């Protein structure tokens, strides 16, 4: 049964066999591990992962693709198909108490909100390996001082270490996306660099600062902090959000 890509689901299926195996090598599954795959699609990566003797839960939103996977792997006892929306899925519950790893070729139209959803899991995965739009990978890994550095950079780096692994061209997919892609490893920290208690204030400061990123902190953070409070936190109120490092944001969150 052939299933065509659906634009409304943001589907671009990985078809380049060399790249598929390079991705499998980068994930390096070990026999007996539990992996949860988001968006298995036509099972290009699914098949490679299962060859490693792992247990796999595949989360697929598209009912037709989920049905296709059920048929394709009807004799595979190590694979469980879960038909549902990754943005609403409790991955910790799917793991049923087992340590788990997350992998996936994420739909680019939901990748950023999905990453924020995953950062809030009560039981984080051991690691995460994702195919994303290269622009998103660049933003997650960006340091201060450039246009790529923003809310996503701060909030992800507070929770994870980020390692871009592979650059993936449009020719590796069907249909071909109009953008470059990247494969990235995200390794959750034992606890956020800011500490758990500071995260709500950090989210408010970071969101407000980057909502008006071309303005100085004196102006962009005016609804939350005065210039004097910013300065008392050890940060120059005349700077812009993209010029700060994580510790600066932590200091302003403490002030808030």
């Amino acid at each position: 049964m052939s299933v065509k890509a659906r634009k409304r689901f943001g589907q671009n299926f990985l078809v380049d066999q060399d790249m598929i195996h390079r991705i499998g090598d980068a994930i390096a599954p070990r026999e007996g591990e539990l992996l949860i795959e988001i968006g298995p699609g036509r099972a290009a990566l699914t098949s490679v992962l299962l060859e490693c003797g792992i247990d796999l839960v595949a989360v697929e939103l598209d009912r037709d693709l989920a049905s296709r996977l059920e048929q394709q792997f009807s004799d595979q006892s190590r694979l469980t198909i879960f038909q549902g929306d990754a943005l609403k899925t409790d991955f910790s519950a799917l793991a049923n108490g087992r340590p788990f790893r997350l992998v996936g070729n994420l739909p680019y139209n939901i990748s950023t909100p999905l990453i924020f959803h995953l950062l809030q899991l009560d039981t984080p995965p051991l690691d995460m390996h994702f195919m994303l739009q290269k622009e998103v990978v660049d933003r997650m890994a960006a340091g201060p001082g450039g246009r790529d550095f923003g809310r996503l950079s701060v909030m992800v780096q507070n929770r994870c270490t980020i390692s871009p692994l592979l650059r993936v061209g449009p020719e590796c997919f069907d249909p071909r996306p109009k953008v470059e892609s990247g494969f990235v490893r995200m390794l959750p920290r034992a606890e956020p660099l800011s500490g758990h208690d500071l995260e709500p204030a950090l989210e408010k400061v970071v969101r407000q600062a980057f909502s008006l990123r071309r303005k100085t902190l004196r102006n962009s953070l005016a609804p939350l902090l005065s210039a004097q409070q910013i300065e008392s936190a050890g940060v120059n109120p005349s700077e812009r959000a993209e010029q700060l490092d994580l510790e600066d944001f932590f200091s302003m969150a403490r002030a808030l």
Side-chain angles (χ1 to χ4, degrees), residues 81-103:
I81 310 298
F82 178 81
Q83 194 277 314
D85 186 347
L87 281 169
K88 301 176 182 177
T89 298
D90 184 344
F91 292 93
S92 304
L94 283 184
N96 198 27
R98 290 179 62 183
F100 67 100
R101 305 174 68 191
L102 275 177
V103 302

Side-chain angles (χ1 to χ4, degrees), residues 13-35:
F13 301 119
L14 193 60
V15 294
D16 185 283
Q17 290 300 311
D18 178 64
M19 184 58 68
I20 290 166
H21 284 281
R22 289 177 67 189
I23 288 170
D25 290 343
I27 296 171
R30 296 181 180 179
E31 187 172 354
E33 287 184 326
L34 172 62
L35 272 70

Side-chain angles (χ1 to χ4, degrees), residues 204-219:
K204 290 180 182 179
V205 169
V206 171
R207 184 187 293 272
Q208 182 64 35
F210 284 106
S211 69
L212 299 168
R213 63 181 299 146
R214 296 181 65 86
K215 294 185 178 294
T216 63
L217 298 172
R218 175 182 283 102
N219 295 314

